[in-house]
């Protein structure tokens, strides 16, 4: 735990086995870092909120994808409003164990895209793949170049799927001080 007020640490503490110098697994706090990468790619003109998944990742698009899946955009993924009834992660991996993007695109929809928010880890995984496609860099490498190195953040570690890609929805390990610095940003 770290409390920062106007750039100054006013309280901090860790519970064993953690310490100030040990990177912590951020679990879902990884998602905002993927969203930052999306924002940077948008700012660089490489991606837009209206870009469709199927256009950016055609190699991950199943041949018989639904019309709704074809309409999904960066905006739907960032807002987790793809239209699924629940988190699609387990279902997507079951459908396509070697390609979670394909599995996500074939998961059944319960609502029209943009209509309902459903917390869905797969949306952030797909965003990570989109960032990688348009930047030509892995998500960890892109964030290292564009966020971590300029901020002086070291020791970022990433858990990865079997292909070597970062999960994007969880798996980032950072020290508490680094999380606080990005939070202030």
């Amino acid at each position: 735990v770290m409390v920062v007020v106007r750039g100054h640490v006013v309280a901090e503490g860790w519970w064993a086995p953690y310490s100030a110098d040990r990177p912590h697994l951020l679990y879902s706090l990884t998602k905002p870092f993927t969203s930052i990468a999306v924002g940077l790619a948008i700012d660089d003109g490489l991606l837009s909120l209206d870009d469709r998944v199927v256009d950016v990742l055609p190699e991950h698009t199943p041949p018989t994808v639904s019309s709704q899946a074809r309409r999904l955009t960066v905006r739907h993924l960032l807002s987790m409003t793809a239209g699924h009834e629940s988190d699609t992660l387990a279902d997507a991996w079951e459908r396509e164990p070697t390609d979670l993007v394909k599995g996500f695109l074939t998961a059944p929809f319960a609502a029209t895209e943009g209509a309902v928010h459903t917390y869905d880890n797969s949306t952030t995984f797909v965003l990570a793949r989109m960032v990688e496609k348009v930047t030509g860099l892995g998500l960890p490498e892109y964030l290292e170049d564009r966020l971590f190195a300029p901020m002086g953040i070291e020791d970022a570690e990433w858990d990865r799927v079997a292909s070597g890609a970062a999960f994007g929805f969880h798996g980032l390990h950072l020290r508490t001080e680094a999380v606080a610095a990005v939070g202030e940003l």
Side-chain angles (χ1 to χ4, degrees):
V1 174
M2 182 175 284
V3 178
V4 180
V5 177
R6 295 187 187 106
H8 300 284
V9 176
V10 296
E12 60 186 339
W14 295 266
W15 291 266
Y18 298 103
S19 66
D21 296 329
R22 181 178 178 186
H24 298 63
L25 174 58
L26 301 185
Y27 296 97
S28 284
L29 185 54
T30 302
K31 288 177 181 69
F33 289 87
T34 301
S35 296
I36 288 170
V38 170
L40 291 168
I42 289 170
D43 191 57
D44 288 345
L46 302 173
L47 201 57
S48 82
L49 290 174
D50 297 320
D51 283 347
R52 296 182 320 155
V53 175
V54 297
D55 295 333
V56 176
L57 300 172
E59 68 279 11
H60 296 281
T61 303
T64 57
V65 71
S66 71
S67 59
Q68 182 163 338
R70 289 193 179 283
R71 293 190 304 266
L72 295 180
T73 64
V74 170
R75 184 183 319 274
H76 298 125
L77 300 179
L78 282 171
S79 61
M80 294 187 180
T81 59
H84 295 109
E85 184 174 44
S86 59
D87 182 49
T88 61
L89 186 61
D91 184 38
W93 254 321
E94 187 174 309
R95 290 171 177 277
E96 290 286 342
T98 61
D99 191 338
L100 182 58
V101 175
K102 279 185 183 176
F104 169 77
L105 290 172
T106 61
F109 295 98
T112 304
E113 73 278 2
V116 178
H117 172 270
T118 301
Y119 188 85
D120 191 348
N121 288 292
S122 297
T123 59
T124 313
F125 181 88
V126 175
L127 285 167
R129 304 296 72 83
M130 293 175 83
V131 166
E132 291 173 343
K133 179 68 178 267
V134 300
T135 64
L137 295 170
L139 180 66
E141 292 74 23
Y142 186 62
L143 284 172
E144 176 63 31
D145 290 349
R146 295 298 308 278
L147 180 68
F148 297 143
M151 291 185 71
I153 295 172
E154 300 174 350
D155 304 325
E157 301 169 13
W158 293 82
D159 294 341
R160 298 170 187 263
V161 296
S163 69
F167 285 96
F169 59 86
H170 92 117
L172 175 58
H173 301 251
L174 286 175
R175 291 181 297 117
T176 308
E177 183 178 56
V179 175
V182 173
E184 279 196 297
L185 174 69

